[in-house]
Each structure stands twice: as structure tokens, then as C-alpha cells.
Amino acid sequence: MKRITCLAAALICGALVPAFSALSSTLSWRCILAASDIRFHEDGTRLRATVDGYRTLEILDHPALPYRVVNLLVPQGETVSSCRFEVLDEVSLRLERELDVFRGIGRDDGIRSGVRLGEAEAEENAAFLERRVVYLGSSVYRGYTVASFALYPLAYDGTARELAVAREGRLVVETAPAPSAASGVRRLR
């Protein structure tokens, strides 16, 4: 009887170990942006906003706002399931002029090119500037999964000429167990 009880306990413990190793995680990253870090440059009758270390949003006919790409190491055996940007402290700046819109990149043949939102995408993303984080995807480097996110700590209201600046925020990433077939990286020898 003792052998059956010990055997049953061993089987239960053996079944629970993989279940506990596949738990999900919560990752967070703190973002701080002082309003004084934003530099405004006159571009004709409009203003262009820049922040050192940030990229510029390049969607045709939309404000060229600075954004930041953040890379996070995802725990082994897990994948990104959701993300959000929690604004902890925000300030609004009233601008004297409108922000410049992205007009495209000039090619040698005189045509200006860039990403343009279609009508369906424009309706779906009508408030895309209100979205503060976008999951860009994950890549595997030497067996480690790195997830990339675009953070938008600035939001612009063109009608009121107000720039909302998230002075402090937190990127929160929820993970889930990765599908076993897709999570493994084959090593060829």
C-alpha cells in the first residue's frame, strides 16, 4: 500500500513540474520623458518635434511624432500574449503652431514615397495616435527571444494644437507559454 501511495505521489509531482514551468510572466519597463527633452524646430509655418534617441513616425499626411523602439528579453519557452502602456504622469503642451506632417521621402525621380494608410486602415486606426504601444514582433538570437515594441509617449491633437507628453509611463507585457513546435530553435551540426 505504501508503494502505491509513493508511486501515485511521484506521478502527481512529475505531472505538476511541467505545468509549473509553463506559467506566464509579466514584464515591465519604465519610460521617462521630460518635456524639456523635446526639441521643437521651425519648419516653415509648422513645428517639427524631435527627441534624442527616438525615431520619427513616417506615415504620410500624419504628424511626424517621435517614438521609441524598446526590446525586451522574453523568458525561455514563452511568447508575448499582450502589451499595454500605462501612463503614470502626463502633461499637455499648448503649441503656437501646428506640428509638421510627414510628406514622404523624395526619390531621384521626384516622387515622394512613404507608408499610406488605406481607407479601411484609416477608419480602423482613426485614433492611432492615442495608441501608445504597438507590438512589432519577436526574433530569436542565439536561442533567446527578443520582443520589440514601439512606444508612443507623445500624442497630438491637431484641432486644439495640444501635445500630450507621457512624462512617466510603464510598458507592461504579458507572456504565455509558447507553442512547443514554434518555440524550439534547431541547431544544425
Side-chain angles (χ1 to χ4, degrees), residues 11 14 38 41 48 59 78 113 131 136 162 170:
L11 288 174
I38 304 168
H41 309 278
R48 188 170 41 96
I59 297 178
E78 296 182 20
S113 63
R131 210 177 347 155
L136 301 176
E162 284 188 354
R170 181 175 39 241

Side-chain angles (χ1 to χ4, degrees), residues 79-95:
T79 186
V80 174
S81 62
S82 68
C83 63
R84 66 183 182 277
F85 185 72
E86 299 173 348
V87 177
L88 303 175
D89 184 22
E90 187 173 64
V91 65
S92 290
L93 303 176
R94 177 96 171 121
L95 304 178

Side-chain angles (χ1 to χ4, degrees), residues 26-94:
T26 301
L27 310 173
S28 69
W29 186 83
R30 189 171 166 212
C31 175
I32 297 177
L33 175 64
S36 60
D37 292 340
I38 304 168
R39 296 199 175 37
F40 293 99
H41 309 278
E42 291 186 23
D43 193 9
T45 60
R46 297 177 179 241
L47 292 175
R48 188 170 41 96
T50 61
V51 177
D52 289 339
Y54 282 53
R55 298 176 183 182
T56 303
L57 189 64
E58 295 179 346
I59 297 178
L60 290 170
D61 302 324
H62 286 84
L65 292 173
Y67 72 95
R68 181 174 186 164
V69 175
V70 175
N71 297 314
L72 295 178
L73 184 65
V74 178
Q76 288 186 342
E78 296 182 20
T79 186
V80 174
S81 62
S82 68
C83 63
R84 66 183 182 277
F85 185 72
E86 299 173 348
V87 177
L88 303 175
D89 184 22
E90 187 173 64
V91 65
S92 290
L93 303 176
R94 177 96 171 121

Side-chain angles (χ1 to χ4, degrees), residues 131-143:
R131 210 177 347 155
R132 294 297 182 103
V133 63
V134 174
Y135 173 54
L136 301 176
S138 296
S139 60
V140 177
Y141 179 71
R142 295 189 178 190

